[in-house]
Amino acid sequence: MVSTGDGPIEVRLRGEGPLVVMLPSMGRGAGDFELLAADVAAAGYRVACPEPRGLGASAVPDREETLSTLASDVAAVISELGGGPAVLVGHAYGNRIARMTATEHPDLVESLVLLACGGFIPVTEEMGVAMRTIFDTRNPPNVRLDAVARAFFAPGNDASVWAGGWYGSLARHQEQATVNTPVGDWWAGGTAPMLAVQPADDRLAVPANAEALVQAVGDRVEVVVIPNAGHALLPEQPEAVAETVIAWLDRRRAEARA
């Protein structure tokens, strides 16, 4: 548990070594990183997965939420765990929080890994409808699962692994933070080096987002495309994601030692 002025944050910890903090997708919890966190910890890193506020024992604060306030929570976690600097791994919505943290707390961030990064190219109306369908618990389970498959998974991949784990109140809370924060405040990720892991079949954070990031920051970002994966990415291609992330971490650690 990490104590903050806005209430405690529950953090799942495993492994020893340089600190890696993982931030999950919109409306979802730290459990999404179970496999990746285990692989990264086994590779010699200390992995911290904070539960978003409102899940587990992470308290919901009485405050006007922005990406800046969410970034302050990440900064509090890093400071509690030794001050970093940490590598931040943000999946989907988590990449926005990661980039805001790097912008406002650069001394705490070594680099960023952006899994399925979006936020610049607006989602289509079809995908907007799918997202609303997923979070509306009045819809039958099969209807919601069909929306999960269309929005989050590449054709032919098993969406049933993400049939659950959707938290509408958390998603609304996070969406308000997005509305309250201009894209330009976080898009460039401060001055941190970045790895953008782009799912080839992403329909929510389409590849044009990664292309726009390259145009904005140049060679400060490296892009790796993962085939046969949609926005969910983590349950679709766990081995490819782990291999890509660990290669980045190992390279950054080797460069720091040189």
Side-chain angles (χ1 to χ4, degrees), residues 2 4 9 11 19-23 46 48 50 71-89 97-98 101-102 105-112:
V2 173
T4 78
I9 301 170
V11 183
L19 182 61
V20 180
V21 180
M22 298 185 176
L23 308 171
R46 189 182 193 197
S72 71
D73 290 339
V74 178
V77 169
I78 297 171
S79 296
E80 177 73 16
L81 296 177
V87 178
L88 304 187
V89 179
I97 303 173
T101 306
H105 307 277
D107 55 319
L108 298 180
V109 178
E110 191 281 327
S111 63
L112 303 175

Side-chain angles (χ1 to χ4, degrees), residues 108-131:
L108 298 180
V109 178
E110 191 281 327
S111 63
L112 303 175
V113 177
L114 312 176
L115 307 178
C117 67
F120 188 76
I121 308 297
V123 300
T124 64
E125 177 59 26
E126 178 188 2
M127 290 298 98
V129 170
M131 289 294 291

